[in-house]
Amino acid sequence: MTPTGATLFGLTATDIATLLAALATLGVLVAVYAASTVRDPMARRVKALNERREQLKAGITASTGKRRAKIVHQNDTTDRMRTFLSSMKVLQEDQLKLAQVRLAQAGIRSKDWAIAIIFGRMVLPIVIGGTAALLIYGVNFWPEWGEFKRFGAFAAALLLSYKAPDIYVDNLITKRSAAIRKGIPDALDLLVICAEAGLTVDAAFARVARELGTAYPELGEEFQLTAIELSFLNERRMAFENLATRVKLDALKGVVTTMIQTEKYGTPLASALRVLSAEFRHERMMKAEEKAARLPAIMTVPLILFILPTLFVVILGPAACSISKAF
């Protein structure tokens, strides 16, 4: 029996309505599942912080290098990659430290990933570049391409495969820094309240991390880790410097400098943090005003391309139809 009425790709209006209803039902089910299974954003981070606390405890109580070596979790895959890179003479300590710092800024605590990043820079161009060379020159998968276009595609594949790990890490760093930047003024206000209440610096950091862990989980994680390091490290200055290293933000570096100066010279902490909080709020307001000032220039192109043609069709369409009927 052939379908009657208009069809779209062989589907009648009833079939299309049924598919749309099924998609809407699926969307509702997914939304209900997502709303009913909301997880605490600090749960995974608290587990990682507890592991860091245990490592610091073990580092203090371990008396010999052999006992300290047992603290570090050995990964066979990482050891193989390290051995391979060392045999190729491409693993440098400064490069490894830089990769570890950038991973920490991206929120990745495991130092094994630094070896994976360096290994990926070396292996991905060989794998992806070799595949691109095979498809472009060996199999001739795109015979209509010219020599310049083929070479451009091959060079782009090599460059992107080499920069892919760095691009991924940079994206994580940017997103995490933006999330932390939003919570710094609120964190400073809470630090001021804790300082005026008489709490110590490590207790104040732990309290702020607990209060802001749900709203700003990244910032809460960093403050909690700083509180742990303040309790276990020999030099408190080192804990603050680690905080500035783990977060790629000039604003947080200013906070760290203020904390170090108050620890060194005994200046009032609450007044200094209050001034910093006011400056950060003013800076955030200035950035919002800057974005609002750029909005008319940004909206000009969409207005010309999408809104004005539709407006002209709606306004001039009936008049054009009347003129065509008159002639």
Side-chain angles (χ1 to χ4, degrees):
M1 183 176 180
T2 59
T4 59
T7 60
L8 180 64
F9 299 109
L11 300 175
T12 62
T14 304
D15 297 335
I16 295 174
T18 303
L19 290 176
L20 292 177
L23 291 176
T25 305
L26 179 61
V28 170
L29 292 177
V30 170
V32 171
Y33 174 77
S36 60
T37 58
V38 176
R39 297 180 179 179
D40 185 6
M42 284 296 293
R44 179 178 58 85
R45 293 178 169 86
V46 168
K47 182 179 179 181
L49 294 173
N50 290 332
E51 293 178 356
R52 174 62 175 166
R53 182 186 289 110
E54 294 301 324
Q55 290 177 1
L56 290 173
K57 286 182 181 179
I60 293 174
T61 57
S63 58
T64 62
K66 184 176 180 181
R67 291 176 62 186
R68 286 193 181 96
K70 295 180 181 179
I71 300 170
V72 182
H73 176 69
Q74 298 294 330
N75 192 328
D76 294 337
T77 305
T78 305
D79 291 339
R80 294 192 188 97
M81 288 190 292
R82 184 188 293 272
T83 303
F84 176 75
L85 293 175
S86 300
S87 63
M88 298 295 292
K89 305 298 182 181
V90 296
L91 186 61
Q92 302 175 359
E93 288 298 327
D94 54 349
Q95 185 183 16
L96 184 61
K97 291 180 180 179
L98 179 61
Q100 291 174 355
V101 170
R102 296 180 71 251
L103 287 173
Q105 293 174 353
I108 302 174
R109 304 298 179 192
S110 177
K111 294 183 178 181
D112 295 339
W113 282 100
I115 301 295
I117 292 294
I118 300 174
F119 185 78
R121 292 176 188 168
M122 180 178 178
V123 173
L124 286 179
I126 298 175
V127 176
I128 299 179
T131 304
L134 180 63
L135 292 176
I136 295 174
Y137 295 105
V139 183
N140 197 13
F141 196 76
W142 295 279
E144 69 277 4
W145 285 8
E147 292 297 329
F148 181 76
K149 194 172 183 179
R150 291 184 179 184
F151 177 76
F154 176 68
L158 282 178
L159 182 61
L160 290 177
S161 59
Y162 176 76
K163 299 296 293 183
D166 294 332
I167 293 174
Y168 176 72
V169 175
D170 288 338
N171 188 26
L172 292 179
I173 293 175
T174 302
K175 291 182 179 179
R176 192 167 186 270
S177 299
I180 292 176
R181 185 186 293 110
K182 294 179 181 179
I184 289 180
D186 297 335
L188 291 181
D189 290 339
L190 288 178
L191 281 177
V192 170
I193 295 173
C194 293
E196 291 178 345
L199 294 179
T200 59
V201 177
D202 49 350
F205 270 84
R207 181 68 180 182
V208 173
R210 187 164 60 251
E211 294 294 335
L212 295 181
T214 303
Y216 307 103
E218 294 85 3
L219 183 60
E221 177 187 6
E222 292 297 338
F223 272 38
Q224 184 65 44
L225 183 56
T226 303
I228 294 173
E229 291 182 346
L230 285 171
S231 302
F232 288 98
L233 292 180
N234 295 328
E235 296 183 6
R236 300 169 67 86
R237 179 190 182 95
M238 188 182 300
F240 294 124
E241 290 177 350
N242 291 339
L243 175 61
T245 303
R246 291 193 305 267
V247 181
K248 191 178 180 180
L249 277 179
D250 294 335
L252 198 59
K253 287 182 173 61
V255 176
V256 168
T257 303
T258 303
M259 300 297 294
I260 293 175
Q261 289 178 352
T262 55
E263 288 281 338
K264 183 177 181 180
Y265 299 107
T267 56
L269 178 61
S271 59
L273 291 179
R274 188 179 291 107
V275 172
L276 284 176
S277 177
E279 290 181 357
F280 292 153
R281 290 186 184 279
H282 180 68
E283 181 182 357
R284 189 166 63 177
M285 183 62 67
M286 292 293 292
K287 289 183 178 180
E289 292 177 355
E290 181 182 353
K291 290 183 179 180
R294 292 203 313 262
L295 190 60
I298 295 175
M299 288 296 295
T300 301
V301 176
L303 181 67
I304 295 174
L305 294 180
F306 302 106
I307 300 177
L308 290 182
T310 306
L311 185 62
F312 289 153
V313 169
V314 171
I315 295 175
L316 300 179
C321 293
S322 301
I323 293 172
S324 63
K325 288 181 181 179
F327 286 99

